[in-house]
């Protein structure tokens, strides 16, 4: 059994004239990431391994989630190949994970995340928003053999706001 949680990076800022990879989070983004991570913190145990895109906004999002999930920042593994907007490249990265890993959390980007969860989950999601979390459970012992899974949890910031 494999558990995969995909989290889209929080809302990022376009105000500074910097490269795409260097964009940071807005206050709304920080607040939304905190909201979702605190709400879901009781679902996460220390058996999960955290991987983040190398983009600053994804790593900053991973940092907020890690803190609220009681993980050390040293537990976040940066993967250059998670900096992708292509679901085929995301799928390739996931299929290459070590089979020793049963529970994985990935912090990445759209459209890769939305397209991946629609291909492998059993619930259609029009768009995974920033700070959105989707958990899919796979009845497989090998990442490379993933087929359609069961969507266990969908949590978006808007669903937690009054």
């Amino acid at each position: 059994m494999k558990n995969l949680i995909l989290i889209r990076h929080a809302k990022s800022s376009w105000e500074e004239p910097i490269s795409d990879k260097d964009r940071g989070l807005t206050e709304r983004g920080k607040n939304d990431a905190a909201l979702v991570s605190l709400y879901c913190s009781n679902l996460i145990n220390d058996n999960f391994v955290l991987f983040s895109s190398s983009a600053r906004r994804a790593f900053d999002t991973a940092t907020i989630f890690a803190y609220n999930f009681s993980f050390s920042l040293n537990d976040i593994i940066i993967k250059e190949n998670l900096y992708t907007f292509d679901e085929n490249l995301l799928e390739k990265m996931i299929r290459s994970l070590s089979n020793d890993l049963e529970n994985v959390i990935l912090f990445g980007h759209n459209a890769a995340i939305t397209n991946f969860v629609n291909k492998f989950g059993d619930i259609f999601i029009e768009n995974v928003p920033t700070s959105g979390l989707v958990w899919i459970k796979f009845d497989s012992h090998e990442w490379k053999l993933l087929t359609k899974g069961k969507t266990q949890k969908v949590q978006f910031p808007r669903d937690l706001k009054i």
Side-chain angles (χ1 to χ4, degrees):
M1 206 61 89
K2 302 291 186 196
N3 287 291
L4 177 64
I5 297 175
L6 296 115
I7 300 171
R8 182 178 172 194
H9 67 77
K11 182 97 176 116
S12 59
S13 175
W14 289 87
E15 291 184 14
E16 298 177 46
I18 54 178
S19 74
D20 182 65
K21 278 184 101 170
D22 294 329
R23 286 190 290 120
L25 300 179
T26 63
E27 282 307 308
R28 181 185 132 202
K30 293 173 189 174
N31 292 335
D32 285 354
L35 188 65
V36 172
S37 59
L38 285 169
Y39 185 81
C40 294
S41 63
N42 64 326
L43 303 173
I44 306 302
N45 60 45
D46 61 0
N47 292 330
F48 279 87
V49 177
L50 284 64
F51 292 99
S52 174
S53 158
S54 56
R56 179 177 164 205
R57 62 192 180 275
F59 182 77
D60 289 352
T61 304
T63 298
I64 294 167
F65 275 80
Y67 178 80
N68 290 324
F69 289 168
S70 299
F71 280 81
S72 163
L73 296 186
N74 294 329
D75 292 332
I76 302 169
I77 302 164
I78 296 174
K79 290 286 215 179
E80 186 66 40
N81 55 358
L82 279 175
Y83 181 65
T84 184
F85 311 99
D86 181 327
E87 71 273 11
N88 295 316
L89 294 176
L90 177 60
E91 180 181 339
K92 182 177 179 184
M93 182 273 170
I94 292 167
R95 288 185 182 281
S96 73
L97 290 169
S98 168
N99 289 323
D100 295 341
L101 304 176
E102 296 293 324
N103 305 300
V104 173
I105 301 174
L106 299 179
F107 296 86
H109 308 271
N110 248 6
I113 288 179
T114 295
N115 292 336
F116 182 91
V117 301
N118 284 325
K119 180 175 180 179
F120 287 96
D122 63 347
I123 296 173
F124 176 77
I125 299 171
E126 186 173 332
N127 178 54
V128 176
T130 53
S131 297
L133 175 152
V134 180
W135 182 337
I136 303 173
K137 183 174 282 204
F138 297 96
D139 188 20
S140 175
H141 296 290
E142 295 184 47
W143 290 104
K144 68 180 179 182
L145 300 177
L146 290 186
T147 58
K148 197 85 162 166
K150 172 102 177 105
T151 303
Q152 299 294 301
K153 178 84 176 160
V154 175
Q155 193 62 66
F156 299 158
R158 67 175 176 250
D159 301 325
L160 300 172
K161 295 179 181 178
I162 298 173

